[in-house]
Amino acid sequence: MRHPGLQRVLFDEAAIAARLDEMAAGITAFYDGKPLTVLAILNGSLIFAADLLRRLPIPLRFESLGAASYRGAVSGGTVTFKGGLPPLAGRHALILDDILDTGCTLHAVRRKVLAEGGPLSVRTAVLLRKRKTRIEPFHAEYAGFEIDDEFVVGYGLDYDGRYRNLPVIGVLDPARRGGG
Ligand code: XMP
């Protein structure tokens, strides 16, 4: 299937589904029997969270936090939050995000969760992890796919608000930046 706006597809629906099955198995094994709150960072992790949650056959609570550190195709800088944190005392927190790029967003989210939420533990699951030197070094316990340092869209990831609804993940056609 053609996807206008993509230079090439990196991961199609079957590849994403198969990897989510593997990630969910690891997450389930770790959190089975523990009080778990999954905290999705919106908007980017919306589709990842929806598909991952349905693969976790364990009791959990779901919460979300709006965070943004992104201007067009350049990541990093100040992180702003929309909304507050849910109560996390006495619970294990699993943060979900779409992509680990500069590390600025997850670094700020993790610091906020630890400082304000007081959870029993914090882990992070990202769908994509870019191979690069990060502005804020960050370790994600669960990562779906390693990718090169290219701008990707689809499956929740956007460029200026577009392409989130693509069912695949692909590299944005450079000609689409700023228009298309
Ligand atoms: P940082 O740089 O803070 O990035 O690790 C976190 C957020 O920036 C967005 N992001 C991207 N969005 N394609 C996108 O569509 C990309 O290649 C990309 N890199 C970073 C994303 O929202 C992520 O949560």
Side-chain angles (χ1 to χ4, degrees):
M1 187 179 164
R2 261 191 81 251
H3 296 287
L6 295 189
Q7 187 187 66
R8 64 185 196 282
V9 172
L10 293 180
F11 307 108
D12 64 13
E13 289 166 272
I16 296 169
R19 187 66 186 117
L20 289 189
D21 285 345
E22 293 173 354
M23 292 179 80
I27 291 168
T28 299
F30 183 78
Y31 287 107
D32 195 11
K34 298 186 175 94
L36 170 64
T37 296
V38 175
L39 182 66
I41 308 307
L42 299 181
N43 294 326
S45 74
L46 174 71
I47 296 173
F48 171 45
D51 283 350
L52 185 69
L53 280 182
R54 284 177 285 181
R55 289 171 161 83
L56 302 179
I58 49 175
L60 59 81
R61 291 186 195 163
F62 175 75
E63 302 283 351
S64 63
L65 179 69
S69 71
Y70 218 69
R71 314 273 177 278
V74 182
S75 183
T78 312
V79 178
T80 55
F81 294 104
K82 215 189 286 178
L85 278 182
L88 293 170
R91 305 191 62 81
H92 297 268
L94 176 64
I95 300 167
L96 301 187
D97 206 358
D98 51 359
I99 186 166
L100 177 55
D101 189 337
T102 66
C104 292
T105 303
L106 280 169
H107 178 81
V109 170
R110 190 169 194 279
R111 198 175 44 194
K112 184 178 175 72
V113 164
L114 284 170
E116 299 174 22
L120 295 172
S121 73
V122 184
R123 286 190 160 207
T124 304
V126 294
L127 181 63
L128 303 171
R129 177 162 55 196
K130 284 191 179 178
R131 286 183 208 99
K132 67 188 288 182
T133 305
R134 294 184 216 299
I135 295 173
E136 293 284 0
F138 189 91
H139 173 69
E141 284 78 7
Y142 307 97
F145 302 101
E146 300 278 340
I147 62 169
D148 290 335
D149 191 8
E150 298 179 293
F151 197 80
V152 295
V153 295
Y155 198 75
L157 291 126
D158 75 308
Y159 173 67
D160 277 354
R162 300 186 56 209
Y163 307 110
R164 288 195 201 279
N165 54 322
L166 295 183
V168 303
I169 299 166
V171 177
L172 181 65
D173 181 348
R176 296 287 176 140
R177 290 196 183 177

